[in-house]
Amino acid sequence: MAICGTYYRTSIRRVRRNFRDDVNREMAKSRLETDTESLEWINSFLVKFWPIYAPVLCDTIINSVDQVLSTSTPAFLDSLCMKTFILGSKPPRMEHVKTYPKAEDDTVLMDWKFSFTPNDTMDLTARQLKTKINPKVVLEVRIGKAMISKGLDVIVENFAFSGLMRVKVKLQIPFPHIEKVEICFLGRPDIDYVCKPLGGDTLGFDINFVPGLESFIKEQIHGNLQPMMYEPNVFPIEIAKMLAGNPVDQAIGVLAVTIHGAQGLKNSDKFAGTPDPYATVSLDSRTPLGKTKIIKENANPRWNETMYIIITSFTNALTFQLYDYNEYRKDKELGTATFALDQVEQVAEHENLQLEVMANGKARGVVQADVRFFPVLEGTKLADGTLEPPPESNAGIARFTVEQAKDLDGTKSLIGQLNPYAVLLLNGKEVHVTHKLKRTNNPIWDNGSKEVLITDRKAARLGLVIKDNRDIAGDPILGTYQIKVDDMIQMMDKGQEWYHLAGAKTGRAKLTLQWKPVALKGVMGGSGGYVKPIGVMRLHFQNARDLRNVETMGKSDPYVRVLLSSIEKGRTVTFQNNLNPDWDEVIYVPLHSPREKLTLEVMDQENLGKDRSLGHTELSAAEYIQEAESGEYAAHDQKRLMSEPLRIKGRATPKGRLNFSAAFYPTLNVADPEEEADEEQTAKDMPEKLLLDGSRKSIDNVSRKSTERDPVQAANEKQDQLGKIDSKLAKQLANGEKEQEEGIVGSRPIPKLHLRPEELVQYESGLIIFKLVEGNLAYSNVYIEVLMDDMAFPSFISSKARSRHTQFNETGEAFVRELDVSKITLRIKEKQDKKGDEHVDHTIAKLAGNTLDTLQRCLYKPTELVLKGSEGAMSRITVSLKYLPVKMQLDPSESINNMGNIRVDVLDAADLPAADRNGFSDPYCKFELDGKEVYKTKIQKKTLHPAWNESFECPVKSRTAADFKVKVMDWDFGDKADFLGEAAINLELLDPFQPQEITLGLDGKSGVIRLRLLFKPGYVTRSRQGSSTFSGTFAATPGKIVGAPVKGVGMVGGGVVKGASFLRHGFKGKKTSPGGSDGFVEPEELTNGDPMGTPQRAAPSIDEIPSTPQTPLHGRSRSFDAASIASAMGGTPGKAEAGTASFTILSASGYPFSANVRVHIKQISPKGAKDVHKTKAIKSPSGVVQWEHETFRVNCKADTQFQVQVRDHAMFGSGDDLGEALFFMDDSAMGGEKVVKAGNGSIMLRTSFQPMDAGAIRSSPKAAGGARRSFLSKKDPSHRVVN
């Protein structure tokens, strides 16, 4: 019973409490809908807070209103000034508030009743009455001029205000969670005041006593406020946009508008004759932003002028207005053509536009124009919300602002007060004039901002001229300031805003600069926004561990890419099907500012679709870039190994780690002859004609003198001279800048290094800067790529050349490790290869050569290079090169002497252990490089002292890191081979180009093996891992070595001459698949001329690229009607090189299961086809046939063609033919695998070619008497090796 009683009492108590709460809640809701709430807590707070805040608020209002009044003063008045603004000691009062709870879920709706009645003293205490201050506003109106003037006070006091205001708050989910606030008055508010326009406080008369005047003034007030904020009109406050930090008037990009001309312009006046047309460009037919020259009496004018227009929105329309110039009357409008800017938001480039010119609804001609949009470059937003800095660019939009000035020199005015205004200059030309204020020595300009396009930031100068407005006499200068854009950006980073004016006793101005980079390409002379690097960041990517697996089947295919401001600057090769890749690659990334950040991102390569991110980590350049006291940057060479976790945006837990090291090496301060010449020319061509003042008298004088010659020419000259300043002011600005330079720079200038072509070889490592000027191409819709040394991916890719004649004006850079042996390749491609697939080549023309020779002849000189493609198509590209040495010591592991081609002669072995019952073995050798088999010899039967006398070559990417082994095995029929012993081969002990015979002891029971090794340095381009091959830089054949001078001039890796050096002749052949040019420029044929003058023209010494019969894995070039390798050595011209071809038939697939597959190889000659080898006949139930030891050799020439025939072998008869195909062998000594399609199946074989004189090793004439020395050996000038 007690338990039941307790339960009953507890339940009843809960029910009563819940019922009471529900009733109170419902009653509160009903009161919200019908009643109002008191706000006495706010009123109590305002009583204490108002005496503190009211004086500050009044001062702020005076400062703001004064600037508006100063710029709005009528001409018949000297000035308007607010002398006093007092709100009084009694605060405003909130009477009540009413809330509407049934509004929409994302809306808060309230009605606020408020009043401001300072003269209502009923609620004031005796102390408050004693200290009460009445509200008062005094406006001074000054009549007259200067010293002969009188100020009259207009007084407004005892004002009161009350009303009911509706407030609507619109909510949103993103920050700041309030989209906008809308306010309006419910009914007319009550307004009362006392106005005394004359007599002041003593004799003032309230004009409201004049009958009818009070109601008239109130009606005027209500008439102005009603359309703004009387219901149903609302006054919106966009909270979200105000806090977003993106003002609607700020630039989003630049339009490059090229007006080529017009056709069929018609004048509406039939008696007006042929028009003198010119065109203006504007946005929505507002103020003209650009104007072409006037063409005299031509209805089909050609202007070919480009204008740059800064836009702030895509909602505008670009307007082309055409006029007929008239000397005496107003120019007559011929018509208007429009272009909607929302089109460039989707497609940035619109070429060859034909815009119809309309006037009064009738067609009046056509305007021909190009419109290109270049957006403002912005930094990417990281996962944590931080914003990366935008990429550095030499071109961009500068928002230059003069906010205010203080302590201007009032002694230059008779009354001690000035009428100041500011003029903003860019490179000595006026770009903006502020409002002209009245009677103030501390002006604040509300329109002191101007956004201007700067195409060359390092040479641009911003200027400020503050003048005193004089209506009658010329405006005297109160002070000037001029500064370089780069210096001002540096000052802004340090937080400096105030700058002391030059040429004045006192005065300082508050200046700000906002820089927005823009990448201008292809439409302007100059660098296209390029900024000179300050150094390079060396990133050594060793490996990654425990990567994220994003594949449904198999594993990820990872590679690392380096991003700078979301732009890919370098990447490693791909490791297929591997979550623990070992890249061991070094990538050099040029840096342009310590503010930059690098993103190291591991990606999963996809054959279809976009690559997927496996995680990234950030690297700040500021951690490695330190500025020394001299102003130069110091090297950071610690190379500390770092292991950073990889994070993906949106996932908190990292997965996988990237192991790498980083180092920074600065560039030397190299003098640029182009920049020095521009500075000297600018100093000589200082403007000397025009004055920057209100009258513009000098412009009128020039115009009057010019009209005596030709009115059209005079108008064009007048247009050119607008905005320029006179020589006196320019000199004053320059002198002021010279005085201020020491305070801005803060350090001694860094001495510049003047490089001459013959001095380049002294600087081994550096950055080569190439400027792609223009191209006259044989193809359209192609890309220009620059490839360096052993890089698998290009260092620079141009924008798409949509037409055959393209003005690129693009600048790129690439790092050169060893200048004296470096190779540079310029190629034209139809498509970009972003996957690094060596089996698919879209190159249609290519030019390759020594970097040093090319640099010496193109240094600071625009030089025309000629590329010949298929069918003799000729392309000409104009380039100019520069070189910035880098202060670093190259790591020996990155030297060309650490990579190249190793030739192994397998001679013999002795005292091998017996593995068979007969007391002998059947030995053969297997050679493994880094765990992969690269060669296997033939089997020597029944011997313990075999003599193989075989040779092979294979590429070595790093001698110091190579794991090279030889294993001796015993072959057993039908059983697994027995291990007889192995030995490690140390490649570090080899000297380049010196054959060395070694005897290695086997680690088995007994035995030694004798080898002869020859290491030939050369660049080895790494390819996608997952196969056993590397790909050459200049050919599609896997395993080619490029750049090693083996046999003499131009000799590369046993016959690979294409891409090795500049040759007078190339190879050409029949084209059966997309090919290109492997031709070369002969440096000696590059004519010397004026280094800064017209482009130098190279002789057309580039032959077309030999095209190859397309096979899935091999591209082959056949020599035809051109100098061969032998001719480069002094042999007989026109004949292919003789030697020995080696073939190994590996497997066949795709043929019927029942077929007894046999492969026949035939050599094609003018006399017919000769059968040189046939394999064993093998039947495989799986459909894949594999052969062992099907190797043979054929004496032939390098361009010999072979035929493969596949037959179903029969015991009796010839059998059925399964397919046949023609192919060329691989023309390099190290060889490569290829797949030949024959019938319904395919044959895989390995081929190589050994020239007859491969044993003769001669040094390159580039060396000073010998081959390039090893990084492990001493230099021997007389070092040569000849058989």
Side-chain angles (χ1 to χ4, degrees):
M1 291 295 293
I3 295 174
C4 292
T6 303
Y7 175 75
Y8 175 75
R9 287 193 301 272
T10 305
S11 299
I12 290 298
R13 191 185 310 116
R14 290 176 179 171
V15 170
R16 289 175 178 173
R17 184 183 63 214
N18 293 338
F19 178 75
R20 182 174 61 252
D21 293 343
D22 292 342
V23 171
N24 291 334
R25 189 181 305 111
E26 293 300 322
M27 292 178 65
K29 287 183 178 179
S30 64
R31 285 197 301 270
L32 283 176
E33 297 176 1
T34 58
D35 301 338
T36 59
E37 296 181 74
S38 173
L39 293 170
E40 290 304 322
W41 66 274
I42 292 182
N43 296 325
S44 177
F45 169 77
L46 287 177
V47 168
K48 298 180 179 180
F49 182 69
W50 186 253
I52 300 173
Y53 180 66
V56 178
L57 178 61
C58 292
D59 291 341
T60 304
I61 292 175
I62 289 176
N63 292 332
S64 300
V65 174
D66 260 352
Q67 305 303 317
V68 177
L69 293 176
S70 181
T71 57
S72 305
T73 303
F76 59 87
L77 297 178
D78 185 53
S79 66
L80 290 175
C81 176
M82 181 173 285
K83 292 175 61 176
T84 307
F85 188 89
I86 301 174
L87 291 174
S89 57
K90 185 178 179 181
R93 178 178 175 80
M94 302 297 170
E95 302 293 344
H96 61 74
V97 63
K98 181 179 179 181
T99 307
Y100 296 90
K102 293 184 179 180
E104 297 180 2
D105 293 340
D106 61 345
T107 303
V108 177
L109 190 63
M110 297 179 290
D111 291 342
W112 291 69
K113 174 70 175 179
F114 70 95
S115 64
F116 181 62
T117 55
N119 291 324
D120 186 2
T121 59
M122 296 297 295
D123 57 345
L124 298 181
T125 64
R127 178 178 294 180
Q128 290 174 338
L129 284 173
K130 187 176 180 180
T131 58
K132 178 179 178 293
I133 301 175
N134 292 326
K136 184 178 182 179
V137 178
V138 179
L139 178 67
E140 183 189 60
V141 180
R142 183 167 291 276
I143 302 174
K145 289 294 181 181
M147 298 181 65
I148 310 175
S149 63
K150 175 63 177 175
L152 303 177
D153 291 344
V154 179
I155 301 174
V156 179
E157 58 184 358
N158 297 332
F159 44 81
F161 191 85
S162 64
L164 181 62
M165 180 175 287
R166 172 159 292 179
V167 180
K168 182 179 180 181
V169 181
K170 183 74 171 179
L171 306 178
Q172 66 178 15
I173 295 178
F175 180 83
H177 311 302
I178 298 178
E179 181 181 354
K180 63 181 177 178
V181 177
E182 295 177 350
I183 58 176
C184 68
F185 283 106
L186 301 178
R188 290 185 172 187
D190 295 328
I191 303 173
D192 191 19
Y193 61 92
V194 174
C195 180
K196 301 177 181 180
L198 296 173
D201 291 326
T202 306
L203 302 176
F205 176 76
D206 186 3
I207 62 173
N208 289 326
F209 293 155
V210 179
L213 188 57
E214 180 182 10
S215 60
F216 173 76
I217 294 176
K218 287 185 178 181
E219 287 299 325
Q220 291 297 319
I221 295 174
H222 291 313
N224 289 321
L225 292 179
Q226 182 171 356
M228 294 173 54
M229 52 192 315
Y230 286 3
E231 192 183 25
N233 303 314
V234 297
F235 184 79
I237 303 175
E238 301 286 350
I239 302 295
K241 292 182 179 180
M242 291 171 61
L243 298 179
N246 295 320
V248 294
D249 62 335
Q250 289 204 358
I252 60 174
V254 176
L255 277 182
V257 182
T258 302
I259 304 180
H260 296 295
Q263 291 288 333
L265 294 181
K266 300 177 182 178
N267 202 321
S268 57
D269 187 355
K270 296 182 179 179
F271 302 99
T274 306
D276 300 329
Y278 68 90
T280 64
V281 180
S282 61
L283 296 177
D284 294 332
S285 299
R286 296 197 291 265
T287 305
L289 303 174
K291 178 181 176 182
T292 66
K293 292 185 179 298
I294 304 170
I295 306 297
K296 187 176 181 179
E297 297 182 358
N298 194 333
N300 302 302
R302 303 301 297 175
W303 290 294
N304 291 320
E305 297 183 30
T306 300
M307 309 170 191
Y308 300 98
I309 299 174
I310 299 174
I311 63 172
T312 59
S313 172
F314 292 115
T315 59
N316 304 111
L318 185 67
T319 306
F320 299 85
Q321 293 175 296
L322 282 85
Y323 292 89
D324 176 20
Y325 171 74
N326 193 289
E327 183 181 358
Y328 304 105
R329 300 189 304 273
K330 182 180 179 181
D331 297 345
K332 186 174 183 179
E333 185 175 356
L334 299 177
T336 302
T338 58
F339 176 81
L341 292 185
D342 55 2
Q343 300 180 57
V344 301
E345 189 174 9
Q346 304 297 329
V347 181
E349 297 185 4
H350 295 264
E351 296 182 346
N352 300 321
L353 294 174
Q354 304 289 326
L355 304 176
E356 192 171 25
V357 179
M358 303 294 294
N360 299 323
K362 297 181 179 179
R364 297 294 180 183
V366 175
V367 172
Q368 302 160 345
D370 297 340
V371 178
R372 300 180 185 178
F373 175 66
F374 301 96
V376 170
L377 302 178
E378 297 179 349
T380 53
K381 197 171 185 179
L382 303 180
D384 57 359
T386 59
L387 190 66
E388 283 188 330
E392 292 290 328
S393 176
N394 196 41
I397 300 172
R399 187 181 182 89
F400 187 32
T401 304
V402 52
E403 295 184 6
Q404 56 180 309
K406 286 187 178 182
D407 306 326
L408 295 180
D409 188 5
T411 60
K412 295 188 177 182
S413 173
L414 296 177
I415 59 176
Q417 290 184 316
L418 305 167
N419 301 325
Y421 68 95
V423 179
L424 302 183
L425 307 174
L426 173 63
N427 295 330
K429 189 172 183 179
E430 173 191 323
V431 294
H432 182 63
V433 179
T434 66
H435 291 153
K436 299 176 180 180
L437 305 184
K438 298 286 186 177
R439 290 183 174 268
T440 177
N441 295 346
N442 300 292
I444 300 176
W445 292 286
D446 58 352
N447 70 329
S449 295
K450 179 65 176 180
E451 287 187 320
V452 293
L453 176 66
I454 296 178
T455 58
D456 189 2
R457 192 180 83 180
K458 60 179 179 289
R461 283 177 167 82
L462 297 173
L464 169 69
V465 180
I466 299 180
K467 293 188 174 186
D468 183 23
N469 182 32
R470 303 281 178 89
D471 292 334
I472 303 175
D475 298 342
I477 297 175
L478 303 177
T480 64
Y481 194 85
Q482 184 166 274
I483 185 174
K484 291 182 179 180
V485 174
D486 281 341
D487 291 338
M488 188 161 186
I489 292 176
Q490 182 181 354
M491 294 296 101
M492 292 295 296
D493 292 339
K494 295 179 179 179
Q496 181 172 338
E497 293 181 337
W498 288 94
Y499 300 85
H500 292 279
L501 298 176
K505 296 179 181 179
T506 61
R508 54 198 178 109
K510 185 178 181 181
L511 304 175
T512 59
L513 178 67
Q514 297 178 9
W515 176 256
K516 297 179 180 180
V518 177
L520 297 177
K521 294 183 178 180
V523 295
M524 56 176 292
S527 60
Y530 178 77
V531 177
K532 183 186 294 186
I534 62 174
V536 294
M537 183 72 81
R538 179 187 184 272
L539 299 171
H540 182 194
F541 295 106
Q542 296 189 356
N543 54 56
R545 293 293 178 261
D546 194 23
L547 293 178
R548 195 184 306 270
N549 190 7
V550 295
E551 299 289 349
T552 305
M553 299 180 62
K555 300 177 182 178
S556 300
D557 304 325
Y559 66 90
V560 183
R561 65 175 183 172
V562 183
L563 302 178
L564 179 60
S565 302
S566 302
I567 300 174
E568 184 175 305
K569 293 294 184 180
R571 58 164 290 181
T572 67
V573 297
T574 303
F575 271 59
Q576 293 179 314
N577 200 36
N578 196 330
L579 299 181
N580 299 287
D582 293 303
W583 292 292
D584 191 23
E585 282 196 54
V586 176
I587 293 177
Y588 290 88
V589 180
L591 294 181
H592 310 83
S593 168
R595 299 187 297 270
E596 292 178 327
K597 287 186 178 180
L598 297 176
T599 300
L600 315 180
E601 187 173 20
V602 182
M603 303 291 293
D604 171 46
Q605 182 170 304
E606 297 291 330
N607 293 326
L608 299 175
K610 294 184 177 180
D611 297 348
R612 295 176 287 184
S613 176
L614 302 180
H616 72 274
T617 184
E618 302 292 331
L619 189 65
S620 176
E623 299 178 5
Y624 297 86
I625 301 177
Q626 301 295 330
E627 190 171 350
E629 295 181 358
S630 62
E632 297 179 318
Y633 293 105
H636 187 288
D637 196 21
Q638 296 181 4
K639 299 178 184 177
R640 178 173 56 88
L641 181 63
M642 292 180 288
S643 181
E644 297 294 332
L646 299 173
R647 301 180 181 275
I648 293 182
K649 183 178 181 180
R651 299 187 186 182
T653 306
K655 174 66 174 176
R657 303 190 76 87
L658 179 64
N659 301 314
F660 66 97
S661 65
F664 173 77
Y665 302 100
T667 58
L668 297 179
N669 189 23
V670 178
D672 191 338
E674 294 181 7
E675 296 180 4
E676 293 179 346
D678 291 341
E679 292 179 359
E680 292 178 2
Q681 189 66 27
T682 302
K684 292 179 181 179
D685 297 342
M686 186 177 295
E688 297 179 353
K689 292 183 180 180
L690 306 176
L691 266 172
L692 183 60
D693 55 22
S695 61
R696 301 291 184 195
K697 296 178 181 179
S698 58
I699 296 178
D700 297 336
N701 294 334
V702 173
S703 178
R704 284 193 294 268
K705 293 178 182 178
S706 301
T707 52
E708 299 175 1
R709 300 190 307 271
D710 187 347
V712 172
Q713 183 181 356
N716 288 332
E717 290 179 359
K718 182 178 179 180
Q719 177 68 25
D720 293 338
Q721 298 298 331
L722 283 176
K724 292 185 179 180
I725 61 176
D726 67 338
S727 58
K728 182 178 179 181
L729 178 56
K731 187 175 181 180
Q732 184 175 346
L733 286 168
N735 293 337
E737 181 184 8
K738 189 175 182 180
E739 295 174 3
Q740 299 153 2
E741 269 185 355
E742 295 183 0
I744 295 174
V745 178
S747 62
R748 298 188 306 272
I750 303 173
K752 291 187 177 182
L753 174 67
H754 290 78
L755 272 182
R756 291 178 295 181
E758 60 271 14
E759 297 173 346
L760 293 174
V761 73
Q762 301 176 14
Y763 303 94
E764 182 181 46
S765 303
L767 282 168
I768 183 171
I769 300 175
F770 36 83
K771 180 180 178 183
L772 194 61
V773 182
E774 64 177 345
N776 292 304
L777 309 174
Y779 319 92
S780 58
N781 296 318
V782 294
Y783 301 90
I784 310 298
E785 293 183 352
V786 178
L787 198 71
M788 299 299 301
D789 299 334
D790 58 341
M791 295 293 103
F793 297 93
S795 301
F796 169 78
I797 302 176
S798 73
S799 58
K800 193 172 186 178
R802 302 185 181 277
S803 61
R804 295 192 175 186
H805 178 73
T806 302
Q807 290 285 340
F808 291 102
N809 289 309
E810 300 177 24
T811 306
E813 62 220 351
F815 185 73
V816 179
R817 297 195 301 266
E818 296 173 292
L819 182 60
D820 54 344
V821 296
S822 173
K823 306 294 174 183
I824 185 171
T825 302
L826 186 69
R827 61 189 184 188
I828 302 177
K829 299 198 74 172
E830 291 179 312
K831 296 180 181 179
Q832 297 184 31
D833 177 21
K834 298 183 179 180
K835 306 293 185 183
D837 190 354
E838 64 271 15
H839 304 312
V840 181
D841 189 10
H842 300 287
T843 302
I844 56 179
K846 182 161 60 178
L847 179 68
N850 296 319
T851 304
L852 179 59
D853 294 337
T854 309
L855 190 57
Q856 287 176 337
R857 286 158 179 82
C858 302
L859 189 65
Y860 308 123
K861 293 187 296 186
T863 304
E864 187 177 82
L865 304 180
V866 185
L867 291 79
K868 283 186 179 178
S870 58
E871 301 177 357
M874 186 177 296
S875 299
R876 300 177 184 274
I877 300 175
T878 303
V879 298
S880 177
L881 302 181
K882 302 176 185 177
Y883 188 66
L884 294 180
V886 174
K887 293 189 289 187
M888 66 172 292
Q889 186 68 33
L890 187 67
D891 191 281
S893 61
E894 299 179 60
S895 171
I896 191 176
N897 285 327
N898 191 44
M899 63 186 74
N901 199 31
I902 182 70
R903 174 187 171 91
V904 181
D905 293 332
V906 189
L907 303 178
D908 51 36
D911 300 328
L912 296 180
D916 297 336
R917 296 180 180 178
N918 57 9
F920 295 98
S921 296
D922 301 326
Y924 68 92
C925 297
K926 287 198 308 181
F927 289 83
E928 295 180 356
L929 179 61
D930 297 330
K932 297 178 181 179
E933 181 180 326
V934 294
Y935 187 74
K936 183 166 62 175
T937 66
K938 291 184 178 180
I939 302 170
Q940 300 293 321
K941 297 292 186 69
K942 296 181 181 181
T943 179
L944 301 181
H945 306 281
W948 289 284
N949 291 319
E950 299 182 33
S951 64
F952 70 93
E953 293 186 6
C954 67
V956 178
K957 64 183 180 182
S958 174
R959 279 203 287 165
T960 57
D963 181 16
F964 197 28
K965 296 179 180 179
V966 57
K967 292 184 179 180
V968 182
M969 309 294 292
D970 171 59
W971 176 81
D972 288 327
F973 180 76
D975 198 0
K976 185 178 180 181
D978 298 327
F979 176 75
L980 300 181
E982 71 174 13
I985 305 174
N986 189 355
L987 299 181
E988 296 183 37
L989 303 178
L990 301 179
D991 289 329
F993 306 115
Q994 272 201 5
Q996 184 174 347
E997 188 175 300
I998 60 174
T999 301
L1000 302 175
L1002 303 177
D1003 63 357
K1005 296 180 181 179
S1006 62
V1008 294
I1009 184 171
R1010 192 164 62 97
L1011 307 173
R1012 183 185 296 116
L1013 305 177
L1014 174 62
F1015 180 73
K1016 296 174 286 187
Y1019 286 120
V1020 178
T1021 302
R1022 300 192 66 184
S1023 67
R1024 190 165 44 185
Q1025 298 300 297
S1027 63
S1028 60
T1029 60
F1030 298 93
S1031 68
T1033 305
F1034 304 109
T1037 307
K1040 285 192 177 182
I1041 302 294
V1042 177
V1046 178
K1047 289 172 52 180
V1049 178
M1051 200 58 187
V1052 182
V1056 187
V1057 68
K1058 298 182 290 298
S1061 63
F1062 285 93
L1063 300 180
R1064 293 183 182 273
H1065 304 282
F1067 298 83
K1068 59 183 179 179
K1070 183 179 179 182
K1071 177 179 175 65
T1072 59
S1073 64
S1077 171
D1078 256 335
F1080 310 92
V1081 165
E1082 175 63 37
E1084 285 71 14
E1085 294 182 9
L1086 297 178
T1087 59
N1088 296 325
D1090 183 8
M1092 306 302 299
T1094 57
Q1096 308 300 305
R1097 185 177 300 273
S1101 58
I1102 305 162
D1103 294 328
E1104 63 183 16
I1105 189 171
S1107 302
T1108 64
Q1110 185 66 28
T1111 61
L1113 290 177
H1114 178 64
R1116 168 73 173 91
S1117 302
R1118 182 182 179 186
S1119 300
F1120 175 75
D1121 192 24
S1124 64
I1125 301 173
S1127 68
M1129 296 292 297
T1132 305
K1135 294 185 179 181
E1137 188 176 21
T1140 302
S1142 177
F1143 297 83
T1144 301
I1145 302 175
L1146 302 176
S1147 62
S1149 60
Y1151 296 105
F1153 298 151
S1154 59
N1156 199 14
V1157 179
R1158 168 175 281 181
V1159 177
H1160 296 252
I1161 303 296
K1162 295 186 177 182
Q1163 180 179 354
I1164 307 300
S1165 66
K1167 297 180 180 180
K1170 176 183 178 183
D1171 204 337
V1172 294
H1173 184 77
K1174 59 183 178 181
T1175 66
K1176 298 179 181 178
I1178 299 179
K1179 182 185 294 185
S1180 175
S1182 64
V1184 178
V1185 179
Q1186 293 184 343
W1187 287 276
E1188 292 188 2
H1189 311 299
E1190 288 288 351
T1191 301
F1192 62 96
R1193 296 183 180 182
V1194 179
N1195 293 327
C1196 60
K1197 294 183 179 180
D1199 59 352
T1200 302
Q1201 193 176 27
F1202 291 86
Q1203 182 185 44
V1204 57
Q1205 289 184 343
V1206 185
R1207 295 178 180 175
D1208 182 7
H1209 177 68
M1211 184 66 68
F1212 302 100
S1214 60
D1216 297 331
D1217 289 331
L1218 301 179
E1220 63 181 28
L1222 297 174
F1223 71 95
F1224 288 98
M1225 62 183 169
D1226 195 294
D1227 62 357
S1228 67
M1230 64 185 179
E1233 296 178 358
K1234 64 168 59 183
V1235 176
V1236 180
K1237 184 73 174 177
N1240 295 326
S1242 58
I1243 304 298
M1244 177 176 285
L1245 46 83
R1246 182 186 295 117
T1247 65
S1248 64
F1249 181 77
Q1250 187 69 43
M1252 292 182 60
D1253 54 350
I1257 304 174
R1258 304 175 187 172
S1259 63
S1260 170
K1262 290 290 179 188
R1268 181 176 174 84
R1269 65 186 179 91
S1270 169
F1271 66 94
L1272 299 174
S1273 63
K1274 297 182 179 179
K1275 185 174 180 180
D1276 183 4
S1278 60
H1279 175 74
R1280 294 171 183 254
V1281 179
V1282 181
N1283 277 0

